[in-house]
Amino acid sequence: MAKDQGKGTKRAGYGQAGAFGLPVLVGACVVALVVGLVVGHFVLGGGKVTPAFAGKTTVSEGDLDQVMATYAYDGKTDTVTVRQAIESQTSLDKAKTDDGSYTIPSSDAAIDVARNRILAQIAEEQGVTVSDDELPSYAEKMTGVSDMSTLASTYGLTEDQAKEIVRESAAMSKLKDKVVTTQAGDAPTAPETPADGNQDTANATYGAYIINLLGDEWDSTNNTWARQDGPYYAALKDETFSADSATYAQAQMAYYVAYQQYSTNARSSSSEWTDYVNQALSKATIQLATLGA
């Protein structure tokens, strides 16, 4: 990276990914546990390579607390060290090379740390908290693993790191739910393919599946449509089915409607969240001091 970066706007963001948006995990999984929901930008100050980093791509253990970046937000200034940037992605033990040194993390790693701290500050100001008891369920939702020890081992973290990363990600999820008016909800689950491959054999399983999706468009008491102005009626009005009898093909039709509704809401929710985060982070400034790309 050039010694003088100059001033300008740096967009340091991640697109929506996965179902929490969640995530594509960086360093494969770690950073995106927190920032899978986030796209944001800083105003980049005139960062210069500090003498401690001049001509280096690695640091010794004694240099782990050297400052990589300084950022300011809402009247508060703080720093990101080499250690903190490394630990945002992996454990120190995993990052240690054979000669005992550590590769200086990229500038994006330092930006991620600063950004996540700012959003954590905003979440706290909004009254968002995450208890220890909530961590397993959020971890399960984000990674499919609820046990912190297993999660830490899988991604080369300490257990404390795993807990903190899940806590930050859960806080971002709660903050998003609080400030975004359009909620995407959970993606619908597709109906199970019939074992015999016959898509036109009716049974109660597919009937119950469809009725569960229809919501207020269906009158369960009279086993008929409650209204005819909804997307499910438009797709299924010519189909004959009930709570006790429907085919896989009909269930698939209902699923496509449900997924289209979910996708539309998810895009709207993501756009609102992106605008919110960008507005917040545009008020922050960061100065980098790193040789990382």
Side-chain angles (χ1 to χ4, degrees):
M1 186 168 92
K3 289 187 177 183
D4 232 354
Q5 294 169 313
K7 295 183 179 179
T9 299
K10 181 176 180 65
R11 181 170 298 275
Y14 291 79
Q16 191 80 1
F20 180 44
L22 276 159
V24 175
L25 300 174
V26 176
C29 162
V30 180
V31 173
L33 277 173
V34 180
V35 301
L37 292 174
V38 173
V39 174
H41 64 270
F42 284 102
V43 174
L44 186 67
K48 295 183 178 180
V49 177
T50 64
F53 294 147
K56 295 183 178 181
T57 56
T58 61
V59 294
S60 66
E61 187 167 353
D63 288 327
L64 286 175
D65 293 320
Q66 292 286 344
V67 173
M68 278 189 69
T70 301
Y71 66 94
Y73 176 78
D74 197 21
K76 179 183 177 181
T77 300
D78 208 342
T79 60
V80 179
T81 65
V82 177
R83 182 191 305 274
Q84 291 162 341
I86 290 174
E87 289 185 334
S88 73
Q89 298 180 318
T90 187
S91 67
L92 285 178
D93 285 344
K94 289 286 185 181
K96 198 170 188 176
T97 64
D98 291 340
D99 65 5
S101 65
Y102 302 84
T103 301
I104 298 174
S106 72
S107 57
D108 281 346
I111 291 172
D112 287 337
V113 173
R115 178 176 48 194
N116 294 340
R117 286 182 184 171
I118 291 169
L119 290 171
Q121 178 183 334
I122 294 171
E124 184 177 358
E125 292 169 353
Q126 290 281 346
V128 172
T129 59
V130 180
S131 68
D132 287 347
D133 291 340
E134 294 177 277
L135 297 183
S137 62
Y138 270 98
E140 175 75 26
K141 182 178 182 180
M142 292 183 287
T143 69
V145 177
S146 61
D147 181 70
M148 292 297 109
S149 177
T150 302
L151 186 65
S153 176
T154 299
Y155 295 109
L157 307 168
T158 66
E159 192 167 339
D160 285 343
Q161 278 181 285
K163 287 181 179 179
E164 187 58 26
I165 287 169
V166 173
R167 191 186 307 278
E168 288 183 17
S169 190
M172 292 305 97
S173 179
K174 284 189 171 186
L175 177 62
K176 181 175 184 284
D177 289 343
K178 187 169 186 176
V179 302
V180 170
T181 58
T182 302
Q183 300 299 325
D186 296 325
T189 301
E192 291 188 14
T193 305
D196 61 3
N198 191 337
Q199 298 189 13
D200 297 318
T201 301
N203 61 49
T205 298
Y206 295 130
Y209 175 89
I210 292 174
I211 300 307
N212 182 60
L213 290 179
L214 297 186
D216 65 0
E217 287 192 46
W218 188 257
D219 180 350
S220 295
T221 301
N222 297 307
N223 206 26
T224 189
W225 292 101
R227 58 189 181 91
Q228 298 182 3
D229 59 351
Y232 289 102
Y233 179 79
L236 296 166
K237 64 181 185 297
D238 296 327
E239 299 294 322
T240 300
F241 64 90
S242 69
D244 300 321
S245 178
T247 67
Y248 172 76
Q250 291 170 330
Q252 277 287 84
M253 293 172 67
Y255 168 71
Y256 290 145
V257 175
Y259 196 84
Q260 186 175 48
Q261 295 292 105
Y262 165 77
S263 297
T264 298
N265 289 337
R267 285 193 297 270
S268 178
S269 177
S270 177
S271 179
E272 282 188 55
W273 175 239
T274 298
D275 290 345
Y276 178 87
V277 172
N278 280 342
Q279 184 177 11
L281 294 186
S282 67
K283 300 172 184 176
T285 59
I286 184 167
Q287 290 186 317
L288 299 172
T290 173
L291 292 178

